[in-house]
């Protein structure tokens, strides 16, 4: 006995283990099964889906999950917060699954973010909520009083929508001892009640019998239904109607037209007259069948009232009765089988789908979940799905009737930005029916394309002297991406031009790519600018590309030719002196004008023309070489000095030019050349610009000199009035303070002692000088100290007062009185001492010049200038050239400083010297006038 118990316990364990394994396998494959009783209120708990599928509640809330069903009826709902599956409405098993033993509702849970689908089956368990019921509350049965006992008569069946133990279980009959109840069980398990005559009837005893038929189900508590049966006893009727077949079976296609006759019942009765008249009728038919089929009571034909649908019902079984006029009847069963016809095309339902997908989604990404079903059966209900277009998508089977649309390769929005994926579903019928569903999918852009410039490199030509802000060129770049990823901005790469940042030369507009010049370019400074422009999109991270831009500065004729030879003189035009022998042959090279042009190309091509010449036919200039050559041999009548003006032109438009002036001297030697230059200081042609400037300079210096003399004279007169005049005999200046010879007093003494008038002409050799008669009067204050009246030169110099002026010894120049570098005439250090008329450069020559100036002044005071040279040259022309005259000596008297001079200047000596010099000058002037006459 213990062994038997152990065996039963082992079998239970194995059964339980099998159930657990099956449940685990189904959960692993995404299939859940639950069972709930019917008639639960809305929101009742069905199952914990999140726990059974191992789903995280956070994922359900964030990604979204929903429940869908094939028939689009929403029976269940999913709580995202708890993960529980609950009823969405009150469930009635008899309404949902009428006539079906096992009522199972199927639905799917779709997780949107993961594009996953899980199948759920919920079985609706029956409860005893329906009592058995009869189609008619009262039934009438007619019997002849001659009916033999044990005869059977079919009764109307009761119907109970419940199933299992809650369905109809038994019948009970009550009311009369003449009848009994017999229940027949069919092959399908259906119970059919039959009335059995237990005792012979006697119409004279009782014409009617009242019976009650009760149907009982097996629920707890049991429910019952009743029907009243009235049995009418008729007079003798020998023959009852007889059907030709006890069971009629017919097969019809579901597409049979409405109104077609499906079957005709046939029953015969051997009686005649009213007893032989047979009528047909339904026996215990349901309302559903009565809406589909119609029975003609006279002919027994069964006609179709509406379309049959194999998917709604594939078989119909009904019971018919044939009655004659005498109350006798016969029963027959009719079974109508409906054959399936491929009249339903596959249905495609999009359970979940993405409307957008990123182009960088990996292959295998699910974009849609499709549910496919065909209401036909067999081969007609077998569905095949496919994608026929050449698109980067494929189908994968998810569950029984579910397909996933996934990407088969990487997407590229730049190739195709939108897809319309058509999914076709076809069944196995003949002919095959098919249907389709279109998925619209937009590909989202990813910044996977860098900007691309329209050209591999850019170049532009920019004329020099351009306006600031001028547009140079525009660079263009396109980005194959979309939206912000395709927005291109431009900027300059770092760089330098001639040591300055590139951004100070050019700039680029960030939005349009327009390149602007920020400054005016000069071809002579910058001829080419190379830079890089970067185009960057607005993606994250941003992608960029570079392009090289070459700016070529185009030369313009903005520079006039520059003459290198002959060199220019300070403050004047181009000058030069060249020597040409008088024996030169025609074509002899005299000089060459050398010029350059800072421009380039045609703007720098130079040509030379002889614009002006003293003797037009004597010289010619090479057009391209600039060489000055003799056009013929010089003649004796030709002037010794010629001025040539050469015009140098470039080939620009407009052409720019420069001039060079050459002085050509016809001489056989350098000495003759120097003599000619000394004899002609001014140009041969009057009215030149040089003459005008010289006249203006002399006038200005004369005005300043006269003003200075007037000021000095006024000061001296003022001091003379305040001082006492010295005795005429006391001419000694021994007691004069040294301060009287320093600064402005010394200058005044020097100037008043040797004041003279100078008359300048264009020829320095014709300059005239007239000494003032009383130039030595009141030179210095003549009040010596009362105790000391020594002469300025000491005792030795007192004995030489009566000597002639040229017998006096020449005083050595003071080393403190020098010309500084800035005080020298002309450009400091820029002239050669060997040139004619040039000032000395070294210290020794400077001191010698100062000494000669003083000596000349002393000689001028005596009226005897013997230092050499002509009149007005102060004896300097012997050393410094014939062109060096007094007009070349600037007025430096205000800067003269003669400290410690050994000259003896007294009033008496001054007067005598003044008289002597005045007389000498008069004599010389008379001689000159006679010579002029």
């Amino acid at each position: 006995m213990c062994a038997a118990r152990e065996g039963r316990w082992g079998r239970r364990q194995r059964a339980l283990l099998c159930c657990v394994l099956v449940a685990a396998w189904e959960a692993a494959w995404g299939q859940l099964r639950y069972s709930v009783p019917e008639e639960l209120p809305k929101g009742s708990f069905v199952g914990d889906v999140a726990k059974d599928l191992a789903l995280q509640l956070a994922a359900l809330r964030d990604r979204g999950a929903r429940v869908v069903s094939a028939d689009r009826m929403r029976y269940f709902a999913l709580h995202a917060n708890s993960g529980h599956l609950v009823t969405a409405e009150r469930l009635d098993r008899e309404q949902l699954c009428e006539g079906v033993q096992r009522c199972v509702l199927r639905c799917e849970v779709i997780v949107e973010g993961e594009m996953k689908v899980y199948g759920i089956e919920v079985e609706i368990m029956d409860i005893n909520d329906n009592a058995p019921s009869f189609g008619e509350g009262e039934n009438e049965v007619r019997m002849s009083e001659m009916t033999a006992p044990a005869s059977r008569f079919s009764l109307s069946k009761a119907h109970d929508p419940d199933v299992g133990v809650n369905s109809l279980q038994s019948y009970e009959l009550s009311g009369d001892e003449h009848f009994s109840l017999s229940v027949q069980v069919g092959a399908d398990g259906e119970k059919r009640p039959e009335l059995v005559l237990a005792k012979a009837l006697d119409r004279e005893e009782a014409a009617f019998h009242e019976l009650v038929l009760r149907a009982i189900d097996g629920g707890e508590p049991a429910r019952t239904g009743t029907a009243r049966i009235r049995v009418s006893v008729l007079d003798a009727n020998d023959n009852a109607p007889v059907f030709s077949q006890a069971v009629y079976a017919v097969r019809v296609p579901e597409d049979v037209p409405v109104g077609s006759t499906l079957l005709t019942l046939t029953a015969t009765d051997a009686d005649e007259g009213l007893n032989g008249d047979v009528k047909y009728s339904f026996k215990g038919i349901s309302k559903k069948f009565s809406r589909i089929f119609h029975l003609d009571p006279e002919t027994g034909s069964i006609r179709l009232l509406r379309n049959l649908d194999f998917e709604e019902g594939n078989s119909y079984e009904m019971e018919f009765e044939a009655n004659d006029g005498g109350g006798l009847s016969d029963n027959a069963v009719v079974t109508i089988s409906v054959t399936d016809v491929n009249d339903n095309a596959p249905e495609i339902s999009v359970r979940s789908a993405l409307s957008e997908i990123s182009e960088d989604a990996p292959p295998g990404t699910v974009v849609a979940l499709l549910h496919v079903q065909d209401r036909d059966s067999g081969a007609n209900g077998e569905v095949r799905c496919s994608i026929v277009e050449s698109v980067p998508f494929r189908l994968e089977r998810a569950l029984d009737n579910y397909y996933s649309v996934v990407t088969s390769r990487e997407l590229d929005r730049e190739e195709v930005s939108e897809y319309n994926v058509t999914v076709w579903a076809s069944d196995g019928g003949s002919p095959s029916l098919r249907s389709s569903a279109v998925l619209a999918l937009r590909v989202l852009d990813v910044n996977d394309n860098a900007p691309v410039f329209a050209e591999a490199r850019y170049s532009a030509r920019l004329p020099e002297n351009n306006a600031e802000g001028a547009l140079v060129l525009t660079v263009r770049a396109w980005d194959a991406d979309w939206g912000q990823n395709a927005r291109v901005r431009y900027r300059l790469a770092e760089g330098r031009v001639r040591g300055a940042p590139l951004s100070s030369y050019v700039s680029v507009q960030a939005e349009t790519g327009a390149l602007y010049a920020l400054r005016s370019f000069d071809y002579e400074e910058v001829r080419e600018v190379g830079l890089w422009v970067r185009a960057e999109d607005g993606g994250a991270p941003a992608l960029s590309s570079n392009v090289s831009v070459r700016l070529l500065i185009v030369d313009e004729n903005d520079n006039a030719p520059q003459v290198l030879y002959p060199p220019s003189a300070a403050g004047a035009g181009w000058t030069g002196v060249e020597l040409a022998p008088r024996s030169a042959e025609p074509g002899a090279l005299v000089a060459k004008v050398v010029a350059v042009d800072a421009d380039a190309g045609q703007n720098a091509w130079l040509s030379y023309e002889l614009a002006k010449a003293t003797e037009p036919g004597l010289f010619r200039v090479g057009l391209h070489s600039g060489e000055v050559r003799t056009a013929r041999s010089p003649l004796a009548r030709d002037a010794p000095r010629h001025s040539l003006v050469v015009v140098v032109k470039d080939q620009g438009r407009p052409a720019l030019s420069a001039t060079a002036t050459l002085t050509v001297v016809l001489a056989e030697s350098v000495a003759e050349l120097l003599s000619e230059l000394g004899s002609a200081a001014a140009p041969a042609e009057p009215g030149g610009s040089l003459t005008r400037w010289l006249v203006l300079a002399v006038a200005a210096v004369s005005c300043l000199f006269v003003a200075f003399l007037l000021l000095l004279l006024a000061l001296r007169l003022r001091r003379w009035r305040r001082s006492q005049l010295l005795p005429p005999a006391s001419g000694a200046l021994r007691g004069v303070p040294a301060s009287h010879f320093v600064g402005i007093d010394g200058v005044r003494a020097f100037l008043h002692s040797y004041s003279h008038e100078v008359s300048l002409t264009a020829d320095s050799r014709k300059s005239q000088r007239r000494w003032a008669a009383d130039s030595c009067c009141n030179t210095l204050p003549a009040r010596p100290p009362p105790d000391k009246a020594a002469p300025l030169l000491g005792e030795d110099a007192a004995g030489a007062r009566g000597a002639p002026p040229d017998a006096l010894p020449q005083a050595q120049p003071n080393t403190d009185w020098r010309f500084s570098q800035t005080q020298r005439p002309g450009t400091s250090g820029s002239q050669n001492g060997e040139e004619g008329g040039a000032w000395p450069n070294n210290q020794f020559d400077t001191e010698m010049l100062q000494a000669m100036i003083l000596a000349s002044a002393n000689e001028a005071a005596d009226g005897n200038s013997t230092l050499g040279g002509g009149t007005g040259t102060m004896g300097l022309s012997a050393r410094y050239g014939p062109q060096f005259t007094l007009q070349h000596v600037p007025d430096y008297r205000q800067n003269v400083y003669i400290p410690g001079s050994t000259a003896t200047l007294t009033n008496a000596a001054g007067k005598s010297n003044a008289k002597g010099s005045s007389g000498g000058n008069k004599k010389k002037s008379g001689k000159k006038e006679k010579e002029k006459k």
Side-chain angles (χ1 to χ4, degrees):
M1 185 175 181
C2 292
R5 289 180 178 177
E6 290 178 358
R8 288 195 300 271
W9 178 249
R11 287 193 297 272
R12 291 178 181 177
Q13 285 183 335
R14 287 193 295 270
L16 181 60
L17 180 60
C18 290
C19 293
V20 172
L21 291 176
V22 169
W25 179 84
E26 290 177 348
W29 284 93
Q31 187 75 28
L32 297 179
R33 287 187 172 90
Y34 300 104
S35 61
V36 293
E38 64 174 332
E39 302 296 338
L40 288 178
K42 180 180 179 180
S44 299
F45 176 79
V46 177
D48 193 345
V49 174
K51 179 180 178 181
D52 296 338
L53 293 178
L55 298 176
Q56 299 295 329
L57 294 179
L60 291 179
R61 287 192 299 268
D62 298 339
R63 299 175 182 175
R66 57 191 178 93
V67 177
V68 296
S69 57
D71 54 2
R72 297 184 178 87
M73 296 299 294
R74 190 169 179 267
Y75 301 115
F76 304 100
L78 182 66
H79 284 173
N81 294 330
S82 61
H84 294 170
L85 186 68
V86 298
T87 58
E89 62 181 20
R90 180 177 173 274
L91 301 179
D92 186 357
R93 182 191 179 283
E94 288 73 34
Q95 182 180 358
L96 298 175
C97 306
E98 183 180 1
V100 179
Q101 291 295 324
R102 187 169 180 267
C103 183
V104 177
L105 297 181
R106 293 177 175 84
C107 61
E108 295 82 26
V109 175
I110 297 177
V111 181
E112 297 287 354
E114 298 179 356
M115 278 293 173
K116 291 184 178 180
V117 58
Y118 303 94
I120 299 177
E121 291 184 356
V122 181
E123 182 177 0
I124 310 300
M125 306 301 295
D126 182 52
I127 63 173
N128 192 20
D129 58 340
N130 293 283
S133 61
F134 292 91
E136 297 178 359
E138 293 186 3
N139 294 323
E140 183 179 1
V141 178
R142 295 180 179 184
M143 295 183 185
S144 175
E145 60 179 346
M146 300 301 296
T147 302
S151 297
R152 295 176 178 273
F153 298 90
S154 297
L155 299 176
S156 298
K157 296 182 295 182
H159 177 67
D160 192 338
D162 297 328
V163 295
V165 295
N166 296 323
S167 63
L168 179 64
Q169 298 296 322
S170 61
Y171 291 95
E172 292 180 358
L173 183 65
S174 62
D176 201 328
E177 64 213 10
H178 289 82
F179 300 95
S180 62
L181 182 63
S182 174
V183 179
Q184 301 293 328
V185 181
D188 56 356
E190 187 178 11
K191 297 176 175 62
R192 298 185 179 91
E194 292 181 350
L195 185 61
V196 180
L197 183 60
K199 182 178 173 181
L201 298 174
D202 186 359
R203 187 175 185 280
E204 287 75 17
E205 182 180 345
F208 300 96
H209 296 271
E210 298 290 338
L211 304 176
V212 176
L213 180 62
R214 180 181 292 107
I216 306 170
D217 61 21
E220 291 291 340
R223 292 178 177 268
T224 62
T226 60
R228 298 177 63 83
I229 300 175
R230 182 184 176 118
V231 179
S232 299
V233 181
L234 303 176
D235 287 336
N237 185 11
D238 298 336
N239 300 292
V242 178
F243 281 100
S244 59
Q245 298 179 21
V247 177
Y248 289 88
V250 63
R251 298 178 65 87
V252 294
E254 62 175 332
D255 59 350
V256 62
V258 176
S260 301
T261 300
L262 306 180
L263 178 65
T264 300
L265 301 176
T266 303
T268 59
D269 193 325
D271 295 328
E272 294 181 358
L274 184 60
N275 293 330
D277 189 8
V278 179
K279 303 292 184 180
Y280 302 94
S281 62
F282 289 104
K283 189 175 183 180
I285 189 173
S286 64
K287 293 181 180 180
K288 177 182 178 181
F289 289 179
S290 64
R291 290 194 295 267
I292 299 176
F293 305 102
H294 175 265
L295 176 63
D296 189 347
E298 299 296 334
T299 61
S301 61
I302 301 174
R303 187 165 51 88
L304 187 64
L305 295 179
R306 66 177 181 86
N307 289 324
L308 297 176
D309 191 350
F310 178 84
E311 289 69 37
E312 292 183 1
N314 57 0
S315 179
Y316 299 92
E317 184 175 319
M318 297 168 288
E319 187 175 0
F320 295 90
E321 184 179 43
N323 298 302
D324 60 12
L328 299 180
S329 63
D330 191 12
N331 298 323
V333 177
V334 176
T335 301
I336 300 176
S337 299
V338 181
T339 59
D340 184 40
V341 175
N342 191 24
D343 59 343
N344 292 286
E347 297 178 359
I348 302 177
S349 300
V350 181
R351 298 302 192 201
S352 180
L354 299 178
S355 60
E356 299 175 343
I357 184 173
S358 178
E359 64 176 325
D360 61 348
T365 302
V366 180
V367 298
L369 286 174
L370 305 179
H371 178 266
V372 182
Q373 67 174 0
D374 194 320
R375 300 180 62 191
D376 296 325
S377 61
N380 297 331
E382 295 179 357
V383 181
R384 297 181 299 274
C385 294
S386 62
I387 299 176
V388 296
E389 293 100 342
S390 178
V391 292
F393 300 96
R394 68 174 186 272
L395 289 173
E396 291 182 355
R397 199 176 189 96
L399 289 177
D400 292 339
N401 296 324
Y402 274 88
Y403 289 88
S404 299
V405 180
V406 300
T407 57
S408 59
R409 57 179 174 84
E410 293 183 351
L411 305 178
D412 190 354
R413 193 207 67 84
E414 289 68 42
E415 293 182 0
V416 181
S417 60
E418 292 184 358
Y419 288 96
N420 290 323
V421 183
T422 304
V423 180
W424 290 94
S426 57
D427 58 23
S430 182
S432 177
L433 299 180
R434 56 187 295 181
S435 60
S436 63
V438 178
L439 302 175
L441 192 63
R442 185 163 61 93
V443 182
L444 298 180
D445 183 54
V446 174
N447 192 24
D448 56 348
N449 291 278
V452 178
F453 283 94
E455 299 180 17
R457 60 185 58 86
Y458 288 86
S459 63
R461 300 174 68 87
L462 179 65
E464 65 172 334
N465 304 321
N466 58 283
E468 295 182 0
L471 176 64
V472 179
L473 78 156
T474 301
V475 296
R476 294 288 186 183
W478 286 268
D479 197 312
D481 295 323
W482 181 80
Q484 184 67 22
N485 295 332
R487 184 180 179 183
V488 180
R489 296 180 65 86
Y490 305 89
R491 62 186 179 92
L492 289 177
E494 296 294 334
R496 305 187 74 83
V497 177
R498 295 177 59 88
L502 178 63
S503 58
S504 65
Y505 281 84
V506 292
S507 68
V508 62
Q509 215 284 331
E511 298 294 337
T512 62
L515 200 67
Y516 295 95
L518 298 182
R519 64 171 61 180
S520 180
F521 285 91
D522 189 354
Y523 177 83
E524 288 70 38
E525 294 182 359
V526 179
R527 298 194 175 188
E528 180 178 340
V529 177
L531 54 95
W532 289 86
V533 177
R534 173 172 295 178
E536 190 174 87
D537 59 25
L543 300 179
S544 62
S545 59
N546 300 325
V547 68
S548 65
V549 179
R550 184 185 180 192
L551 301 182
L552 300 176
I553 310 303
V554 180
D555 180 52
E556 288 190 346
N557 193 25
D558 58 342
N559 291 280
Q562 181 180 2
V563 179
L564 300 181
Y565 186 84
S568 62
W574 297 98
T575 61
V577 178
E578 300 292 340
L579 175 63
R582 285 187 172 273
S583 60
E585 297 293 332
L589 178 63
V590 176
K592 181 172 183 177
V593 178
V594 180
V596 294
D597 196 315
D599 296 324
Q602 184 176 351
N603 297 329
W605 296 351
L606 302 180
S607 61
Y608 302 84
E609 296 179 4
L610 184 59
K612 194 174 183 181
T614 305
E615 187 68 32
L618 182 57
F619 300 97
R620 59 182 175 86
V621 178
L623 180 62
H624 300 294
S625 63
E627 295 178 347
V628 179
R629 297 179 180 272
T630 56
R632 58 177 175 78
S633 297
L635 301 177
R637 59 181 174 82
D638 293 332
R641 183 172 178 174
H642 296 266
S643 178
L644 305 180
V645 178
V646 179
V647 176
V648 184
K649 292 183 179 180
D650 57 25
Q651 302 301 315
R653 293 187 180 181
L656 301 179
S657 63
T659 60
T661 301
L662 289 171
T663 299
V664 180
V665 177
L666 299 178
E668 296 295 337
S669 64
V670 176
E672 186 178 352
L673 171 64
L674 295 177
S675 175
E676 179 62 28
L677 291 177
S679 64
E685 299 181 9
S689 61
L690 181 60
T691 303
R692 288 194 300 270
W693 283 109
L694 287 175
V695 171
L696 291 176
V698 170
V701 171
S702 300
C703 292
L704 290 175
F705 183 73
V706 171
F708 178 78
L709 290 179
L710 292 176
L711 178 61
L712 187 61
L713 181 61
L715 292 175
R716 295 299 298 170
L717 289 175
R718 181 181 180 184
R719 297 184 71 181
W720 177 77
R721 289 176 182 178
R722 293 182 181 180
S723 63
Q724 293 181 0
L725 296 175
L726 292 175
S730 61
L733 300 176
R734 182 184 303 269
V736 176
S739 62
H740 288 178
F741 293 91
V742 178
I744 190 65
D745 293 335
V747 173
R748 289 169 179 168
F750 178 79
L751 294 177
H752 279 269
S753 300
Y754 303 104
S755 60
H756 56 274
E757 295 179 0
V758 180
S759 175
L760 298 179
T761 62
D763 189 351
S764 62
R765 292 178 300 180
K766 298 178 182 180
S767 300
Q768 295 182 3
R769 178 176 58 199
R770 182 170 58 87
W771 299 102
D774 53 350
S775 61
C776 297
C777 295
N778 300 328
T779 303
L780 296 173
R783 177 182 293 180
D787 55 344
K788 294 181 180 180
L792 187 64
L793 298 177
E795 298 295 337
D796 297 334
R801 293 176 183 174
D806 53 354
L808 293 175
Q810 177 65 40
Q812 294 296 323
N814 195 335
T815 57
D816 294 334
W817 185 60
R818 299 171 182 171
F819 286 94
S820 65
Q821 187 70 15
T822 59
Q823 294 171 340
R824 294 178 182 177
T827 305
S828 177
S830 62
Q831 297 182 358
N832 256 336
E834 293 157 359
E835 294 181 0
W839 281 82
N841 275 334
N842 52 58
Q843 178 179 354
F844 177 76
D845 289 349
T846 303
E847 294 179 352
M848 290 296 294
L849 176 62
Q850 296 169 356
M852 294 174 68
I853 291 175
L854 291 176
S856 298
N858 292 331
E859 290 179 358
D862 295 337
N864 185 17
S865 180
T866 59
L867 290 177
T871 303
T873 63
M874 296 179 65
L876 302 179
S877 60
R879 174 173 177 83
Y880 296 104
Q883 288 182 325
F884 192 93
T885 62
L886 284 177
Q887 62 180 342
H888 292 82
V889 181
D891 188 1
Y892 287 91
R893 288 172 294 180
Q894 60 180 348
N895 297 328
V896 174
Y897 175 67
I898 316 176
S901 174
T902 59
T904 302
L905 301 176
T906 62
N907 290 337
K911 291 179 181 180
S912 61
N913 292 339
K915 292 178 181 180
S917 61
S918 177
N921 290 339
K922 289 180 179 179
K923 292 178 180 181
K924 293 180 180 179
S925 301
K927 292 180 181 180
K928 291 180 180 179
E929 290 176 0
K930 291 179 180 181
E931 290 175 1
K932 289 181 180 179
K933 292 179 180 181

